[in-house]
Amino acid sequence: MSISFSQELLISTLAIILVPLYMLYLRSSRPKNPPALPTNWPIVGVFPYLIANFHNLHDYLAAVLAEAGHNFRAHGPPGTGLRFFITCEPANVRHIFTTNHANFPKGAEFAAIFDIAGGSFFTTEGEPWRRQRARAQRVLSNPRLLVRMTACCRDKVENGLLPVLMHMATAATPFDLQDLTTRLVFDMTAAPLFGVDPGLLSPDMPPMDAAAAMDTVMEVALFRHTVPASCWKAMRRLNIGPERKLAAAHTVLGGFIEEMVERRKKEHVANEGDPSSVDILSSYIDDLDYQQNDGLLHATLINYMIAGRDTIGTALTWVFYNLAQNPHVMSAIRNELSPIASRKAATGANNSSTMVIFEPEETKSLVYMRAALHESLRLHPPVPIERKTAVANDVMPTGHVVHAGDTLLISLHSMGRMEGVWGKDCLEYNPDRWLSEDGKKLRYVPSHKFLAFSSGPRLCLGKDISFMQMNTIVAAMVWNFDMEVVEGQRVQPKMSCVLQMKNGLIVKLKKRDM
């Protein structure tokens, strides 16, 4: 049954009035040792707890799921349709993502939340999704495109990242590493996508309007996930609150995509037949379905930007943070890189006298560095929460019953922090947990336990590309520089659908003596 605008406004108003009252009641009646589990209160459900803990939502969910045994059921105010089953149990994840995945699509509400990517394979289901995914798989497996993406990554490291880092090290200037990795990965994603380099990682550090707009999309999306749809839809109609900010972000992103498409269309005609002009956009420009539907083309391009920029850029910042906090891990990675650097020095293969640049192929088989990356992704998955909807009633492997229409929230962030999943040292950064006994191979860990690249039919198509990029960037930075996280800053996740750091990551660098 559809809800009118007046009904949306009424429900939103009631929530605004009742939630603070319930929070005051909770505060006044709170026992000395309150339980970790929130109470499903009448009328407002767990909504007061979500509001009270929204600033630290990911850690709060981890505490709740640890107390509840990896699974928790919650509901929101009546009439809002907020019925949640929250889980981080690997057996349930396998059931949801693989065994009975047809019963757990992302759902219409997910598509509404990410309306900016509406119609793309990020939000669609069924035959449209299968058709678009097959198309994306063909595009991303194109050997020419893979060569270009590899070359783009290598070039950005040598001619963009390392000179900037050298400047920062020479000046001994503290800087925001998250800002730098965002610029780097935005360029690395956009160049092979549009065939045009935005040039955000340049000496003058230009404004990042499109990147900032993408951040806004992800922040407001988390807000949409956690409040009744009637609430955020009423805000959207009234153009107030987070929805006002989101509307401005949509305008900026739409303008950026349109500019990139128009520039590439002109170059596509001029350079037709040039093998060096291969890019992702060109493979869609001549497709009749996309020619006749600019909205679908734009949504698909934003889908690629999210998949590339948000995930890799976010992951890298946490990788460097974890390495800086664990110097012995950084030393072990350098020991693994040392034979490669020695060979390059002996053969004169390195073009720079002061920097060592590692080719993507040289780092592909490095076991310990891959283990270090996996461990960072375990503790800090770029996408901390996945959302699904139950089509029909079902029973989870743990015995929990879900009903048709229930929203399932899978907390990846919590899964990496569960003692029952990863052992008593689950909160420690320990790459050794990924290694075989002799340390020469990676242990097999099923995707439903390590969900950083999703699982089942929606397994990430760009996983190998992601590791190629991270290997190349991490190797260059770890080998050439010592890094120190500036003391006194509070490192915590931003409340967003991607696990960026709320306050950035301020670091200082020192050039290593070779």
Side-chain angles (χ1 to χ4, degrees):
M1 182 178 69
S2 61
I3 300 177
S4 67
F5 175 62
S6 60
Q7 288 172 314
E8 290 177 356
L9 194 56
L10 176 60
I11 293 172
S12 302
T13 303
L14 285 172
I16 291 170
I17 294 171
L18 290 174
V19 167
L21 292 176
Y22 261 92
M23 290 175 68
L24 287 173
Y25 168 75
L26 290 173
R27 187 173 298 171
S28 64
S29 62
R30 184 177 295 164
K32 292 182 180 180
N33 297 303
L37 294 181
T39 302
N40 279 297
W41 292 98
I43 304 178
V44 294
V46 299
F47 202 43
Y49 295 93
L50 287 177
I51 299 298
N53 294 283
F54 189 76
H55 68 287
N56 194 33
L57 183 61
H58 302 307
D59 287 336
Y60 177 66
L61 285 181
V64 169
L65 288 168
E67 180 71 18
H70 302 181
N71 305 280
F72 182 73
R73 189 179 300 281
H75 64 76
T80 62
L82 290 180
R83 301 195 315 271
F84 294 117
F85 176 68
I86 308 169
T87 185
C88 66
E89 170 58 48
N92 289 345
V93 170
R94 179 172 54 193
H95 184 77
I96 295 165
F97 282 76
T98 304
T99 309
N100 199 20
H101 69 89
N103 191 46
F104 300 104
K106 292 189 174 184
E109 189 62 35
F110 181 91
I113 288 171
F114 287 101
D115 48 5
I116 194 169
S120 72
F121 56 92
F122 183 56
T123 61
T124 53
E125 301 289 346
E127 185 56 34
W129 167 76
R130 282 188 285 272
R131 192 165 56 247
Q132 289 193 44
R133 181 177 171 89
R135 176 65 179 273
Q137 192 165 22
R138 290 195 300 272
V139 170
L140 292 176
S141 60
N142 182 338
R144 289 170 55 206
L145 178 65
L146 292 174
V147 167
R148 173 159 192 185
M149 294 179 81
T150 301
C152 176
C153 177
R154 201 259 187 218
D155 178 69
K156 274 291 173 182
V157 168
E158 180 177 13
N159 299 311
L161 177 65
L162 290 180
V164 171
L165 295 179
M166 188 63 183
H167 170 74
M168 295 299 184
T170 302
T173 305
F175 68 99
D176 184 355
L177 184 59
Q178 180 168 260
D179 177 82
L180 192 65
T181 57
T182 297
R183 291 175 179 276
L184 168 66
V185 179
F186 192 97
D187 283 354
M188 282 172 40
T189 302
L193 175 58
F194 301 110
V196 178
D197 185 350
L200 294 187
L201 190 65
S202 56
D204 57 344
M205 295 294 181
M208 295 196 296
D209 294 339
M214 291 182 69
D215 291 343
T216 297
V217 167
M218 290 301 170
E219 291 166 30
V220 179
L222 184 64
F223 172 77
R224 286 181 168 187
H225 274 300
T226 53
V227 301
S230 57
C231 183
W232 67 259
K233 287 179 180 179
M235 289 182 175
R236 183 176 62 184
R237 293 194 185 192
L238 296 171
N239 195 30
I240 60 175
E243 293 296 319
R244 182 182 182 89
K245 186 178 179 182
L246 181 62
H250 280 200
T251 300
V252 170
L253 270 180
F256 171 76
I257 295 293
E258 186 63 32
E259 178 187 352
M260 293 293 104
V261 169
E262 289 305 312
R263 286 173 61 179
R264 189 57 189 138
K265 281 181 177 179
K266 294 177 182 178
E267 294 183 12
H268 181 66
V269 173
N271 300 325
E272 192 169 5
D274 182 357
S276 66
S277 67
V278 62
D279 55 74
I280 294 173
L281 175 57
S282 295
S283 66
Y284 286 90
I285 285 177
D286 296 327
D287 189 296
L288 190 61
D289 290 342
Y290 293 88
Q291 285 180 349
Q292 296 176 343
N293 190 343
D294 281 346
L296 177 59
L297 176 61
H298 288 195
T300 301
L301 296 173
I302 288 173
N303 194 153
Y304 278 109
M305 287 297 297
I306 291 172
R309 190 217 72 136
D310 283 347
T311 54
I312 304 306
T314 302
L316 280 171
T317 309
W318 287 107
V319 167
F320 289 127
Y321 171 74
N322 284 316
L323 292 179
Q325 300 299 107
N326 295 272
H328 68 285
V329 176
M330 193 175 295
S331 295
I333 293 176
R334 287 171 179 162
N335 289 339
E336 198 173 37
L337 291 168
S338 182
I340 303 174
S342 297
R343 287 197 300 269
K344 295 171 79 71
T347 59
N350 197 56
N351 295 327
S352 172
S353 58
T354 59
M355 299 280 192
V356 178
I357 297 111
F358 297 89
E359 305 297 332
E361 279 299 315
E362 293 175 326
T363 61
K364 186 176 182 180
S365 60
L366 298 183
V367 175
Y368 190 83
M369 186 159 72
R370 177 67 71 95
L373 296 179
H374 277 185
E375 181 68 345
S376 189
L377 290 168
R378 178 186 72 85
L379 286 169
H380 304 104
V383 180
I385 296 178
E386 287 265 16
R387 179 184 179 126
K388 302 286 186 180
T389 300
V391 175
N393 296 348
D394 200 358
V395 180
M396 295 287 108
T398 54
H400 293 83
V401 177
V402 295
H403 300 94
D406 283 358
T407 295
L408 287 78
L409 297 179
I410 300 90
S411 177
L412 285 68
H413 185 264
S414 299
M415 185 185 290
R417 288 162 166 71
M418 292 298 109
E419 184 176 320
V421 179
W422 293 99
K424 292 186 180 297
D425 66 341
C426 60
L427 299 180
E428 297 177 15
Y429 178 75
N430 177 22
D432 289 344
R433 77 175 76 246
W434 294 90
L435 300 176
S436 61
E437 290 186 6
D438 61 6
K440 295 180 179 179
K441 295 180 181 179
L442 287 174
R443 292 182 186 271
Y444 169 73
V445 176
S447 58
H448 58 266
K449 180 179 175 181
F450 177 59
L451 205 57
F453 295 93
S454 194
S455 184
R458 284 188 178 266
L459 190 69
C460 177
L461 294 173
K463 179 179 178 180
D464 291 340
I465 295 171
S466 299
F467 276 114
M468 177 274 292
Q469 293 174 331
M470 287 193 290
N471 285 349
T472 306
I473 295 165
V474 171
M477 188 161 173
V478 166
W479 182 262
N480 290 292
F481 296 96
D482 288 318
M483 180 174 59
E484 175 188 350
V485 175
V486 175
E487 294 183 2
Q489 62 183 305
R490 186 177 181 186
V491 176
Q492 62 182 133
K494 180 191 293 185
M495 289 303 100
S496 170
C497 282
V498 291
L499 202 70
Q500 292 177 317
M501 293 183 181
K502 181 179 180 180
N503 305 307
L505 182 64
I506 309 303
V507 302
K508 292 191 292 186
L509 295 182
K510 180 181 179 181
K511 179 70 175 66
R512 289 183 68 216
D513 295 327
M514 300 299 176

